[in-house]
């Protein structure tokens, strides 16, 4: 966002998908246009609003960020100067009281109880994460060919079809015992299970922080909003996720193919994968950051001091 007012002085129009890579402050690597939010390409549908909001950032007395210092030290160091408002990284903010489930979820939880440790890949794409029939079929066949256990929270875009009708013929019979499909799953509760080994996610920031907290590695499958940029950051900047496609968008006709899905599942479920090791390490750091003496704990204290001092 801080980049937009500077860009506006050079080029007053919205981004173009054909634009070259962008050197955006706070990012180590050049950011490709395909990783930018869809609204950044729409002058009247988002870009102008982004610029107006960004121009007001410097008017703030401080900016509270839902990250922890050790996750993005480069970006925090870049923006921590006298020209910008003070930054207060106080995350990860996670509603751990949400570690519960209703009676309707009991079947899912019992199934997870019976699975070996770190053996299940969890597919969950948020409340708006649904797919058309061709993509549902590719996901199903990719999971089948991967050979791994899975829990799939499946939602479809058509209100006229039952989700099971969109699956390949014989799929449910083939994966019986090693796979479960549900319409909705309590994501936070599922991620806390020891059976989880990987998480295919739409990459909203809350989901990313939840995966860090529980030490579950992510496969990035962004759909909308800022999720493409989150996915780019996780894969290319931080090396903390496995990639499918960074530029997938829900409103397109693009389809992620069977072999891509099978490969991504295999990588995230590989116990020796470097990403899994790094995520486990980051999980420990995330938890320590909110404990007394941790970076986020101290940042909250500084925020309170500054708020009192400014009154």
């Amino acid at each position: 966002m801080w980049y937009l007012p500077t860009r506006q002085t050079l080029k007053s129009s919205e981004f173009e998908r054909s634009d070259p890579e962008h050197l955006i402050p706070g990012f180590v690597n050049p950011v490709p246009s395909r990783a930018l939010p869809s609204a950044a390409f729409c002058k009247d549908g988002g870009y102008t609003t982004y610029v107006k909001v960004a121009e007001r950032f410097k008017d703030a007395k401080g900016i509270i960020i839902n990250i922890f210092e050790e996750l993005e030290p480069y970006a925090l160091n870049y923006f921590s100067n006298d020209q910008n408002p003070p930054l207060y990284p106080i995350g990860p903010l996670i509603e751990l009281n949400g570690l519960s489930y209703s009676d309707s979820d009991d079947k899912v939880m019992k199934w997870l109880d019976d699975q070996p440790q770190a053996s299940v890949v969890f597919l969950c794409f948020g409340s708006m994460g649904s797919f058309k029939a061709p993509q549902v079929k590719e996901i199903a066949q990719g999971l089948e060919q991967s050979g791994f256990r899975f829990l799939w929270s499946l939602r479809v875009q058509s209100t006229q079809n039952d989700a099971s009708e969109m699956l390949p013929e014989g799929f449910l019979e083939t994966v019986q015992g090693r796979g479960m499909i549900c319409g909705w799953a309590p994501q936070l509760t599922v991620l806390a299970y020891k059976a989880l080994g990987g998480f295919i996610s739409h990459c909203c920031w809350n989901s990313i922080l939840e995966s860090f907290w529980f030490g579950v590695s992510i496969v990035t499958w962004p759909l909308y909003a800022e999720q493409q940029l989150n996915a780019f950051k996780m894969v290319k900047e931080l090396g903390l996720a496995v990639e499918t496609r960074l530029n997938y968008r829900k409103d397109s006709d693009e389809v992620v193919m069977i072999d891509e899905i099978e490969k991504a599942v295999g990588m995230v479920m590989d116990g020796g994968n470097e990403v899994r090791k790094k995520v486990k390490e980051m999980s420990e750091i995330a938890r320590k950051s909110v404990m007394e003496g941790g970076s986020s704990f101290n940042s909250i204290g500084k925020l309170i001091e500054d708020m009192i001092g400014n009154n």
Side-chain angles (χ1 to χ4, degrees):
M1 293 291 282
W2 259 318
Y3 165 65
L4 293 180
T6 302
R7 179 184 185 272
Q8 190 73 357
T9 63
L10 302 174
K11 183 178 181 180
S12 60
S13 63
E14 67 277 9
F15 290 89
E16 300 289 343
R17 298 188 189 276
S18 58
D19 285 346
E21 295 178 324
H22 307 275
L23 298 176
I24 298 180
F27 283 83
V28 177
N29 299 292
V31 179
S33 292
R34 63 192 175 96
L36 298 176
S38 296
F41 304 102
C42 305
K43 185 172 184 178
D44 299 323
Y47 178 77
T48 303
T49 301
Y50 279 175
V51 173
K52 289 179 179 178
V53 171
E55 289 173 340
R56 297 299 306 276
F57 272 22
K58 291 186 182 293
D59 297 333
K61 295 291 181 65
I63 298 176
I64 300 171
I65 314 173
N66 190 14
I67 64 172
F68 46 103
E69 186 177 309
E70 296 84 352
L71 179 61
E72 296 192 63
Y74 179 84
L76 288 172
N77 288 335
Y78 187 95
F79 291 112
S80 295
N81 56 60
D82 294 337
Q83 297 180 354
N84 297 317
L87 305 178
Y88 302 97
I90 63 171
L93 300 178
I94 297 173
E95 180 52 76
L96 293 176
N97 290 331
L99 286 173
S100 60
Y101 56 91
S102 63
D103 292 341
S104 61
D105 304 317
D106 195 50
K107 184 179 179 182
V108 171
M109 301 301 114
K110 287 182 177 178
W111 183 81
L112 284 172
D113 283 333
D114 294 335
Q115 307 310 310
Q117 184 172 341
S119 66
V120 176
V121 61
F122 177 39
L123 296 84
C124 189
F125 301 93
S127 57
M128 297 174 62
S130 58
F131 296 100
K132 298 175 183 177
Q135 186 63 79
V136 171
K137 288 181 168 59
E138 294 292 316
I139 294 173
Q141 291 176 285
L143 290 172
E144 180 182 338
Q145 291 183 188
S146 76
F148 287 97
R149 301 167 192 263
F150 65 87
L151 172 62
W152 183 5
S153 176
L154 172 59
R155 298 186 176 207
V156 295
Q157 290 186 12
S158 173
T159 58
Q160 299 178 346
N161 293 342
D162 181 83
S164 61
E165 296 177 357
M166 303 177 74
L167 296 168
E169 185 176 352
F171 171 74
L172 293 176
E173 292 75 18
T174 301
V175 300
Q176 187 173 9
R178 72 170 177 90
M180 171 170 279
I181 294 178
C182 59
W184 183 87
Q187 178 175 293
L188 193 64
T189 304
V190 170
L191 288 173
Y193 265 73
K194 298 298 183 183
L196 261 287
F199 178 29
I200 301 181
S201 170
H202 60 311
C203 295
C204 80
W205 195 245
N206 283 342
S207 294
I208 289 172
L209 291 179
E210 289 169 6
S211 75
F212 283 149
W213 186 263
F214 294 110
V216 181
S217 302
I218 279 184
V219 174
T220 60
W221 195 317
L223 298 177
Y224 50 86
E226 87 296 351
Q227 293 163 10
Q228 287 78 19
L229 195 57
N230 290 345
F232 174 82
K233 180 180 295 184
M234 288 287 290
V235 174
K236 302 298 185 182
E237 291 282 295
L238 305 178
L240 289 169
V242 173
E243 176 184 352
T244 49
R245 294 186 191 174
L246 297 180
N247 60 335
Y248 185 92
R249 296 180 191 272
K250 180 181 177 180
D251 57 0
S252 74
D253 292 326
E254 183 179 1
V255 175
V256 179
M257 307 305 290
I258 296 171
D259 58 336
E260 297 175 82
I261 297 165
E262 179 186 1
K263 179 181 177 181
V265 171
M267 289 179 64
V268 81
M269 296 300 289
D270 177 2
N273 189 301
E274 187 64 26
V275 167
R276 286 183 68 147
K277 295 177 182 177
K278 291 177 68 174
V279 169
K280 290 293 184 184
E281 293 170 359
M282 192 59 70
S283 177
E284 294 182 15
I285 295 171
R287 291 178 178 237
K288 288 179 180 178
S289 72
V290 296
M291 297 172 64
E292 185 173 358
S295 61
S296 293
F297 183 95
N298 293 337
S299 188
I300 291 174
K302 182 68 166 59
L303 170 63
I304 294 171
E305 290 176 6
D306 290 351
M307 290 177 68
I308 294 173
N310 286 329
N311 286 338

